[in-house]
Amino acid sequence: MEQASAYAIEVRELHKSFGDLEVLKGIDFTVAPGEVVCVIGPSGSGKSTLLRCVNRLEEPTSGSILIDGEDITDPDADVDGLRSRIGMVFQQFNLFPHLSVTRNLTLAQLRVRKRSKREAIEVAHANLERVGLSDKLDAYPAHLSGGQQQRVAIARALSMDPDMMMFDEPTSALDPELVGEVLGVMRLLATEGMTMMVVTHEMGFAKEVADRVVFMDDGIVVEESPPQQLLQDPRHERTRRFLQLVN
Amino acid sequence: MAMRGRQRERLFRAVMYVLFAAGFLAIVLVADWTLIRRNFFNVDLAREMFPDVLLIAARNTIVYTFLAFSFGLVFGLLLALMRLSTIKPYRWLATTYIEIFRGLPALLTIFLIGFGIPIAFQTRWHVLVNITLGLGIVAAAYMAETIRAGIEGVPKGQMEAARSLGMSKTQAMASVIIPQGFRLIIPPLTNELVLLIKDTSLLFVLGTTPATKELLKFGRDLLNTRANATPLIVVGVVYLMITIPLTQLVAVLERRNARAR
Ligand SMILES: Nc1ncnc2c1ncn2[C@@H]1O[C@H](COP(=O)(O)OP(=O)(O)OP(=O)(O)O)[C@@H](O)[C@H]1O
Ligand SMILES: [Mg+2]
């Protein structure tokens, strides 16, 4: 039996092409348990693709991805089981609009975790409380603000008791005044010790919460270091130029 | 000086009104009103048709529509899923089916089910089976395309969100995609229902007994035995009493859908 990996996520030599377009050009990348890693980089650099490869929403072209030491690029890998252990939060929230907030949170618990209805509802309500939305149990997504919808989406992912959470620009679709409430929930998760991988343009959040910041450009990891260093004193010219653009 | 667009339009409309009024007047003056009243609006004959026109004919029309629609919905969903399948032979089969039964006259399919199959296989199905299949097979072909459009109309992020929670493709389809897809296509499906109500009038070719007549057959038989057109007017009104509320419902739903966007 293979020695269990020390990493929650371990990406080796990951390549991903869409037809002729090579989007990921050999990514090596790790996340330790309990670590918060922020991924930054210009539009089109492959950040979303990397995230989506990690839970196999995209099929990697080559390379390997180990989640808790288990190779998920293996053809026999249990992809559904894997995904249920990785919470994913999307830029566009992607709540189920035809279901109430509580039903959004219980659906996968019932179908995938096979929990009893009673237990699923208990878990759902506990997680809604965690994101500060105990008063919206029966609301429908269309009646919530963007910030509230994103917090429901986070609670939905948390209801599966994931080992780690991935966020793909969770605040980019929000009005500026709603960004804070979502980042607040994420900060809470980080202090609780959740393993997190966050694609974001919120440099303030990265600086404050991340253990490590990864800068990607053109399908490769250009550099990675603790936030203070990468954001204030980047080693590479490309990183410096990017940071000047966003600041 | 040239007329302004607005003025010209107003003049054009005035001329049209005059022409319509003249035409209408001509018809009123030329027509033989006693004859028309006797043949189209014979009150005694109309009264005689009740309650059978409702309790037998309208009821049969509604039952046949319901059976064919249910069959079309279930089979249409299956065809739509086959068309969207990643498995090529499924796609190919569904496409062939849809093309064939949308391309043939419905009457031909009804004949085929009612007479072709009994001859070929030496079997006789219950008349309701013939009716359900005769109309339902065609309805499924149309509904499959509508349902497919509904499923494709659900944003891609919905499937991804469901899959990212660990749901299988089938689970995601059943609890997330299909319920939303159907919501999108309630208006066009209601339209198909209206078409189907009218298409039940083709079922007479399967042969009827007094108890299995649908509306149009009921009206036509009276037209023949009584040599009077009043029964057609009566069943026409009954058809409209069923179809107009439905088309109105479609209009309301479409407006609501447009607002929800
Ligand atoms: N399904 C796809 N088919 C084809 N090309 C794709 C697909 N998904 C992404 N791409 C391309 O891959 C490249 C990287 O996309 P990706 O979404 O990973 O970038 P990103 O770093 O997340 O950018 P952004 O900050 O704009 O979200 C882009 O050029 C994009 O057009
Ligand atoms: Mg992206």
Side-chain angles (χ1 to χ4, degrees), chain B residues 171-216:
Chain B
Q171 287 172 332
M173 268 288 171
S175 335
V176 176
I177 308 299
I178 290 175
Q180 288 185 60
F182 267 102
R183 227 153 281 214
L184 292 174
I185 57 168
I186 288 174
L189 275 186
T190 314
N191 276 330
E192 316 247 357
L193 183 63
V194 172
L195 291 178
L196 212 47
I197 290 169
K198 295 187 290 179
D199 279 353
T200 54
S201 61
L202 299 172
L203 291 171
F204 73 91
V205 300
L206 292 175
T208 50
T209 66
T212 64
K213 286 177 192 175
E214 42 67 46
L215 272 171
L216 188 64

Side-chain angles (χ1 to χ4, degrees), chain B residues 43-253:
Chain B
V43 177
D44 290 334
L45 181 48
R47 208 170 279 152
E48 242 178 77
M49 293 170 69
F50 287 87
D52 284 2
V53 66
L54 295 180
L55 294 187
I56 297 175
R59 184 178 154 277
N60 281 338
T61 290
I62 290 171
V63 167
Y64 300 162
T65 306
F66 175 78
L67 288 174
F69 190 74
S70 309
F71 179 88
L73 206 58
V74 173
F75 195 35
L77 174 62
L78 183 73
L79 286 166
L81 292 175
M82 283 170 73
R83 276 213 65 167
L84 292 168
S85 165
T86 47
I87 301 163
K88 235 187 196 153
Y90 285 174
R91 284 207 304 268
W92 187 84
L93 263 174
T95 309
T96 310
Y97 177 97
I98 290 165
E99 290 305 322
I100 287 177
F101 287 104
R102 286 198 312 174
L104 290 174
L107 206 47
L108 190 152
T109 309
I110 294 170
F111 270 120
L112 207 61
I113 298 294
F115 302 102
I117 291 198
I119 291 168
F121 298 101
Q122 299 294 311
T123 54
R124 282 187 79 83
W125 290 331
H126 191 278
V127 61
L128 283 181
V129 175
N130 279 342
I131 286 169
T132 308
L133 289 180
L135 279 182
I137 280 177
V138 181
Y142 283 97
M143 283 197 233
E145 286 298 87
T146 307
I147 295 170
R148 179 172 70 109
I151 289 174
E152 287 180 329
V154 178
K156 216 171 120 249
Q158 292 292 309
M159 176 57 95
E160 293 189 342
R163 298 303 305 270
S164 78
L165 290 164
M167 292 167 76
S168 69
K169 202 167 174 181
T170 312
Q171 287 172 332
M173 268 288 171
S175 335
V176 176
I177 308 299
I178 290 175
Q180 288 185 60
F182 267 102
R183 227 153 281 214
L184 292 174
I185 57 168
I186 288 174
L189 275 186
T190 314
N191 276 330
E192 316 247 357
L193 183 63
V194 172
L195 291 178
L196 212 47
I197 290 169
K198 295 187 290 179
D199 279 353
T200 54
S201 61
L202 299 172
L203 291 171
F204 73 91
V205 300
L206 292 175
T208 50
T209 66
T212 64
K213 286 177 192 175
E214 42 67 46
L215 272 171
L216 188 64
K217 176 67 176 163
F218 183 86
R220 273 183 358 136
D221 284 356
L222 276 175
L223 170 81
N224 289 339
T225 53
R226 305 296 285 272
N228 187 299
T230 306
L232 288 187
I233 301 293
V234 173
V235 300
V237 169
V238 176
Y239 269 118
L240 292 178
M241 275 165 28
I242 303 172
T243 53
I244 288 180
L246 283 172
T247 48
Q248 287 307 302
L249 180 69
V250 174
V252 170
L253 291 172

Side-chain angles (χ1 to χ4, degrees), chain A residues 106 109-110 115-125:
Chain A
T106 54
Q109 294 189 63
L110 298 170
R115 287 179 181 151
S116 70
K117 197 164 174 191
R118 185 145 152 233
E119 191 190 356
I121 290 176
E122 265 169 33
V123 172
H125 290 179

